[in-house]
């Protein structure tokens, strides 16, 4: 029915609409495009490129199968030929790109989840490569994506949801990475051209759901991991009553795959050795039942070169490597801090080697790895460390931050080798015979608040990453003054960055007034000419007089204010705020004693004309005759 629905949606679009009418619901538009619901994600369509951009950061919202929810659901066929999802997007919400048959879909390295139906019914893309870091492919995510012939699943994927790849009728092969722990019911139902299913690691723990690979009639053989859990009709069935003709399994003795083969009367052959390959994690371990036994692995190198074979994990292991029955290398503890083993040896292309791994009576798990010997490059693909400034300790005047391996959990590395191969992996302390270590140069180059560039080393190779320091603020409470509100002053203990908050209004009283020019030396002010050639002091505080002569002073209590006149005598005001704030009224100030000698005469006129004429203006001297000028 889902497949029919996809076809109907494609055929049913029989009328043309312009782009301005394609979006039925008006939404917020920014430079990133139109916002998707209330998320921090947006869509932007560029018709000249026939490209739909999904911009922003975080999770795109879950949509529903309707044109009211999906803006582009009913756009004409061929409108979207390319989709670009920007870095920073972490999830494709349900139905986001449902029935979008773009020939190219670019997904970001930040992607963690592909939601229900998010990429289903795409009939344009043939080869899909999903980014490392993706953890969840949800139910129906790629349902009926019939043009898909190849899918590359990353070694970060954990869950393949119910019917996630059902009716992907063009899919020919799939490789399940060792990180996958769950393949849900009907995940690959009716993938009628699927010929190959390979579990990358035959030691991985994976739960295979009901009818996960049902009706895959061309799938004739599968090797089931030793620690896999098989459900009813997981493999080898067309339907619940009809089996795939010629189907067989390769299983480990006494494993659930072995039990599944017996219960369903499916032909099988036993796997007694695990062949290991470069760059694949083989999770294994010992328990009380096999402490005295050896785990047996085979190696058939694809090229002649030196390899390093080792284990990570809690289990105390040691190993012996044989070729044609001859011991060629062995190792116990890597060092006093690492009880795993590490063997370095030159192996010949096509030659078969046998590796025996044992434990010193320790029931625990380990991960077996193999890589080429020589590391030539080391890069941090993603990962950063964030600390608070308070986490740093001041030593010899420098704020220093403690660096430890736990901070690197979740980092993703690209490690390159001499043979040209590059492997992407999550952080582990020990990689290919070398330890990941911090380059701590804080004394010479201290970390500052904000984003800093820091470095890691793997062998002789260096990689940079971001060390972010967030401000840590100390608070100081500033009490209100006569002129300013009180507040809390927050100051970063590291960089001094500061801001104010939690304001408390001042309770000071306000007294206003107007200073005007004294027109006759007796306080006359018929014209009320504003006078601002003065300033006011109150209890040591200074207030300016505005250009229009107005002033405002503040006080908590009764006081005296002094108006300091630049061109005449000072005036003292008695300020009484017993009844609160008020307007003092007009204050006249004598304007013409420019040399402050107590009289107005020719000297003052000379000073005015020579030094102050342009600043004070021609009209300034108009009342001077009332002061008996030049008498």
């Amino acid at each position: 029915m889902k497949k029919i629905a996809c076809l109907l949606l494609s055929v049913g679009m029989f009328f043309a609409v312009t782009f301005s009418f394609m979006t039925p619901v008006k939404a917020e538009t920014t430079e990133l495009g139109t916002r998707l619901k209330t998320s921090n994600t947006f869509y932007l369509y560029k018709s000249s490129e026939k490209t739909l951009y999904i911009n922003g950061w975080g999770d795109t919202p879950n949509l529903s199968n309707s044109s009211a929810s999906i803006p582009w659901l009913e756009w004409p066929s061929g409108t979207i030929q390319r989709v670009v999802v920007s870095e920073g997007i972490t999830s494709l919400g349900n139905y986001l790109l449902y029935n979008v048959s773009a020939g190219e879909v670019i997904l970001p390295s930040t992607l963690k989840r592909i939601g229900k139906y998010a990429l289903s019914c795409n009939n344009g893309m043939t080869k899909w490569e999903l980014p490392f870091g993706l953890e969840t492919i949800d139910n129906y995510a790629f349902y009926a994506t019939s043009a898909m012939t190849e899918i590359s699943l990353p070694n970060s994927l954990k869950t393949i949801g119910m019917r996630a790849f059902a009716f992907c009728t063009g899919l020919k092969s799939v490789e399940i990475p060792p990180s996958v722990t769950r393949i849900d019911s009907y995940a690959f139902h009716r993938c009628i051209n699927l010929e190959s299913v390979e579990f990358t690691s035959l030691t991985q723990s994976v739960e295979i759901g009901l009818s996960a690979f049902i009706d895959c009639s061309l799938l004739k053989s599968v090797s089931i991991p030793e620690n896999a859990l098989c459900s009813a009709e997981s493999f080898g069935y067309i339907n619940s009553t009809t089996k795939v003709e010629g189907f067989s399994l390769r299983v480990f003795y006494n494993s659930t795959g072995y039990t599944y083969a017996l219960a369903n009367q499916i032909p099988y052959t036993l796997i007694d050795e695990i062949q290991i390959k470069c760059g694949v994690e083989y999770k294994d371990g010992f328990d009380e039942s096999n402490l005295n036994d050896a785990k047996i692995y085979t190696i058939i190198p694809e090229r002649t070169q030196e390899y390093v074979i080792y284990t990570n994990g809690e289990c105390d292991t040691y190993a012996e490597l044989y070729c044609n029955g001859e011991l060629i290398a062995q190792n116990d503890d890597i060092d006093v801090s690492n009880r795993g083993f590490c063997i370095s040896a030159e192996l010949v292309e096509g030659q078969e080697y046998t590796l025996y791994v044992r434990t010193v009576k320790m029931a625990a798990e380990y991960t077996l790895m193999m890589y080429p010997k020589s590391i030539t490059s080391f890069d941090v693909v993603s990962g950063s460390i964030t600390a608070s400034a308070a986490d740093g300790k001041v030593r010899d005047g420098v704020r220093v931050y403690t660096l430890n391996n736990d901070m690197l959990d979740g980092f993703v590395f690209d490690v390159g080798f001499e043979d040209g191969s590059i492997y992407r992996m999550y952080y582990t302390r020990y990689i290919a015979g070398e330890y990941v270590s911090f380059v701590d140069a804080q004394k010479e180059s201290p970390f500052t608040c904000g984003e800093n560039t820091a470095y890691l080393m793997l062998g002789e190779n260096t990689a940079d990453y971001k060390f972010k320091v967030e401000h840590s603020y100390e608070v100081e409470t500033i009490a209100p003054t006569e002129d300013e509100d009180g507040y809390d002053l927050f100051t970063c203990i590291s960089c001094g960055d500061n801001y104010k908050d939690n304001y408390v209004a001042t309770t000071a009283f306000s007294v206003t007034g107007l200073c005007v020019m004294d027109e006759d030396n007796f306080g006359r002010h018929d014209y009320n000419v504003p006078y601002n050639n003065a300033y006011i002091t109150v209890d040591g505080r200074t207030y300016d007089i505005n250009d229009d002569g107005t002033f405002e002073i503040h006080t908590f209590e009764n006081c005296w204010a002094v108006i300091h006149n630049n061109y005449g005598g000072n005036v003292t005001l008695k300020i009484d705020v017993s009844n609160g704030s008020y307007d003092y009224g007009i204050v006249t100030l004598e304007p013409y004693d420019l040399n402050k000698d107590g009289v107005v005469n020719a000297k003052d006129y000379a000073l005015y004309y020579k030094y102050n004429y342009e600043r004070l203006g021609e009209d300034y001297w108009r009342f001077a005759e009332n002061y008996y000028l030049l008498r």
Side-chain angles (χ1 to χ4, degrees):
M1 291 301 293
K2 298 293 183 182
K3 184 177 182 182
I4 293 172
C6 291
L7 292 172
L8 289 174
L9 283 171
S10 299
V11 173
M13 293 179 285
F14 57 90
F15 57 90
V17 292
T18 63
F19 180 71
S20 61
F21 293 100
M22 290 178 180
T23 305
V25 179
K26 187 175 181 180
E28 177 190 354
T29 301
T30 73
E31 61 182 8
L32 294 176
T34 303
R35 188 182 296 275
L36 289 165
K37 292 188 174 180
T38 59
S39 70
N40 290 318
T41 60
F42 308 79
Y43 72 91
L44 178 67
Y45 178 72
K46 294 188 177 181
S47 57
S48 61
E49 303 172 8
K50 294 187 180 299
T51 299
L52 176 66
Y53 291 89
I54 305 297
N55 297 321
W57 59 94
D59 297 346
T60 62
N62 292 327
L63 306 178
S64 58
N65 183 13
S66 70
S67 57
S69 182
I70 306 174
W72 44 84
L73 183 62
E74 295 182 3
W75 292 3
S77 177
T79 300
I80 302 173
Q81 296 182 6
R82 183 169 176 260
V83 176
V84 178
V85 184
S86 69
E87 291 294 320
I89 300 292
T90 54
S91 171
L92 302 185
N94 298 347
Y95 284 97
L96 181 72
L97 297 172
Y98 172 72
N99 206 35
V100 173
S101 290
E104 183 180 11
V105 178
I106 299 175
L107 301 175
S109 64
T110 51
L111 191 65
K112 299 293 184 185
R113 169 184 173 264
I114 298 175
K116 298 175 182 177
Y117 293 100
L119 293 167
S120 65
C121 297
N122 177 304
N123 296 313
M125 281 273 285
T126 57
K127 298 180 181 180
W128 292 79
E129 184 170 353
L130 306 184
F132 189 97
L134 179 68
E135 296 179 352
T136 302
I137 298 176
D138 218 330
N139 301 344
Y140 295 93
F142 287 91
Y143 183 89
T145 302
S146 56
M148 177 192 293
T149 59
E150 298 178 25
I151 180 75
S152 177
L153 303 177
N155 192 26
S156 57
L157 183 64
K158 297 178 181 178
T159 303
I160 299 174
M162 181 174 64
R163 288 187 166 87
F165 293 94
F167 285 89
C168 289
T169 53
L171 185 61
K172 296 180 179 180
S173 65
V174 64
E175 187 171 317
I176 310 298
S179 57
V180 173
T181 59
R182 171 73 184 173
I183 301 173
D184 223 325
S185 302
Y186 295 91
F188 292 86
H189 175 216
R190 199 160 174 73
C191 291
I192 57 175
N193 281 299
L194 186 62
E195 298 176 347
S196 172
V197 173
E198 180 182 351
F199 290 88
T200 310
S201 171
L202 289 180
T203 67
Q204 68 191 88
S205 297
V206 55
E207 184 178 353
I208 304 167
L210 173 71
S211 301
F213 291 87
I214 199 168
D215 202 4
C216 298
S217 55
L218 296 185
L219 182 61
K220 300 297 186 180
S221 178
V222 179
S223 297
I224 306 297
E226 184 176 16
N227 301 309
L229 295 176
C230 295
S231 302
E233 296 143 19
S234 297
F235 295 99
Y237 279 84
I238 298 293
N239 53 51
S240 59
T241 59
T242 306
K243 295 177 184 176
V244 175
E245 185 177 351
F247 183 81
S248 65
L249 289 172
R250 296 182 70 244
V251 297
F252 291 86
Y253 181 69
N254 272 349
S255 66
T256 60
Y258 175 77
T259 303
Y260 177 84
L262 292 178
N264 293 277
Q265 298 181 338
I266 294 176
Y268 66 89
T269 56
L270 291 177
I271 304 171
D272 54 7
E273 296 175 341
I274 299 170
Q275 184 175 338
I276 63 176
K277 299 178 181 180
C278 274
V280 178
E281 293 185 352
Y282 296 89
K283 296 183 178 180
D284 216 329
F286 293 93
D287 55 31
E288 297 298 332
S289 67
N290 61 1
L291 285 179
N292 297 317
D293 300 332
K295 296 280 187 173
I296 304 173
Y297 305 90
T298 60
I299 304 169
I300 303 176
E302 295 182 356
R303 65 174 64 188
T304 299
Q305 63 181 350
E306 192 170 2
Y307 292 87
V308 56
I309 309 158
Y310 63 99
T311 57
N312 280 323
E314 296 298 322
C315 193
D316 184 355
T317 57
Y318 67 96
E320 297 171 338
L321 182 65
Y322 288 83
C323 181
N324 295 325
E326 180 182 350
L327 178 66
I328 62 172
Q330 61 183 336
N331 182 258
D332 193 352
D333 298 336
I334 294 173
D335 55 46
V336 294
S337 66
N338 190 339
R339 298 298 184 183
F341 75 84
C342 182
I343 286 177
S344 294
E346 182 174 299
L347 307 182
V348 178
E349 177 185 350
Q351 179 69 57
E352 182 172 331
Y353 298 83
T354 305
L355 179 72
Y356 295 89
V357 177
R358 295 180 173 85
T359 183
V360 186
K361 298 188 181 302
M362 176 180 282
E365 295 181 347
Y366 63 84
T367 300
L368 176 66
M369 303 288 291
M370 182 175 78
Y371 288 103
K373 171 62 175 177
S374 299
I375 298 173
T376 57
S377 66
F378 175 47
D379 294 294
V380 174
V381 177
S382 65
S384 63
I385 296 175
T386 300
S388 168
D391 296 333
K393 306 300 180 185
V394 178
R395 299 171 186 167
D396 299 326
V398 175
R399 189 171 294 274
V400 177
Y401 297 84
T402 299
L403 302 175
N404 61 66
N405 293 327
D406 291 342
M407 293 177 170
L408 300 177
D409 285 346
F411 271 58
V412 176
F413 300 147
D414 271 350
V415 181
F417 296 89
E418 197 170 44
D419 64 358
S421 60
I422 299 176
Y423 294 93
R424 183 160 291 183
M425 64 190 74
Y426 283 113
Y427 161 77
T428 54
R429 179 168 167 256
Y430 190 72
I431 299 174
E434 302 286 355
Y435 284 105
V436 177
S437 61
F438 288 96
V439 178
D440 193 352
Q442 294 184 68
K443 290 185 178 180
E444 297 79 16
S445 302
F447 294 147
T448 59
C449 289
E451 193 172 88
N452 303 271
T453 300
Y455 298 90
L456 297 170
M457 288 196 72
L458 180 61
E460 297 180 354
N461 301 276
T462 304
D464 65 86
Y465 68 96
K466 299 304 179 185
F467 192 103
K468 301 173 184 177
V469 178
E470 297 178 339
H471 297 298
S472 291
Y473 293 97
E474 290 181 336
V475 61
E476 178 186 3
T477 299
I478 307 298
T481 67
E482 290 87 349
D483 300 311
E484 294 186 0
D485 294 337
Y487 53 87
D488 285 339
L489 177 63
F490 294 84
T491 304
C492 179
I493 62 174
S494 179
C495 69
D497 177 81
N498 64 79
Y499 68 94
K500 300 173 182 178
D501 202 356
N502 304 325
Y503 285 88
V504 177
T506 180
T507 57
F509 299 106
S510 172
V511 178
T512 58
L514 173 66
C515 290
V516 299
M517 184 181 288
D518 183 352
E519 299 170 12
D520 63 357
N521 204 25
F522 296 102
R524 186 175 178 180
H525 54 91
D526 294 347
Y527 292 92
N528 282 339
V529 178
Y531 188 87
N532 67 344
N533 297 307
Y535 64 92
I536 304 172
T537 59
V538 181
D539 294 336
R541 303 187 306 280
T542 300
Y543 297 89
D544 293 328
I545 296 174
N546 301 319
D547 290 344
D548 63 357
T550 59
F551 65 85
E552 181 177 359
I553 61 176
H554 305 104
T555 182
F556 287 120
E557 55 191 2
N558 297 341
C559 61
W560 297 93
V562 178
I563 302 179
H564 300 266
N565 187 359
N566 296 334
Y567 304 134
N570 296 340
V571 175
T572 301
L573 308 179
K574 183 180 181 180
I575 305 300
D576 187 343
V577 291
S578 301
N579 294 318
S581 301
Y582 66 99
D583 184 75
Y584 191 92
I586 293 176
V587 180
T588 59
L589 299 173
E590 56 186 43
Y592 299 124
D593 188 8
L594 273 66
N595 64 355
K596 300 281 283 189
D597 63 358
V599 295
V600 178
N601 53 29
K603 293 180 181 179
D604 297 304
Y605 179 76
L607 290 172
Y608 159 71
Y609 192 79
K610 185 173 183 179
Y611 298 109
N612 298 298
Y613 179 82
E614 291 186 3
R615 184 174 63 83
L616 296 177
E618 181 180 359
D619 288 344
Y620 185 82
W621 203 255
R622 60 178 166 162
F623 301 116
E625 62 181 18
N626 295 335
Y627 288 80
Y628 305 104
L629 178 66
L630 305 178
R631 189 180 58 180

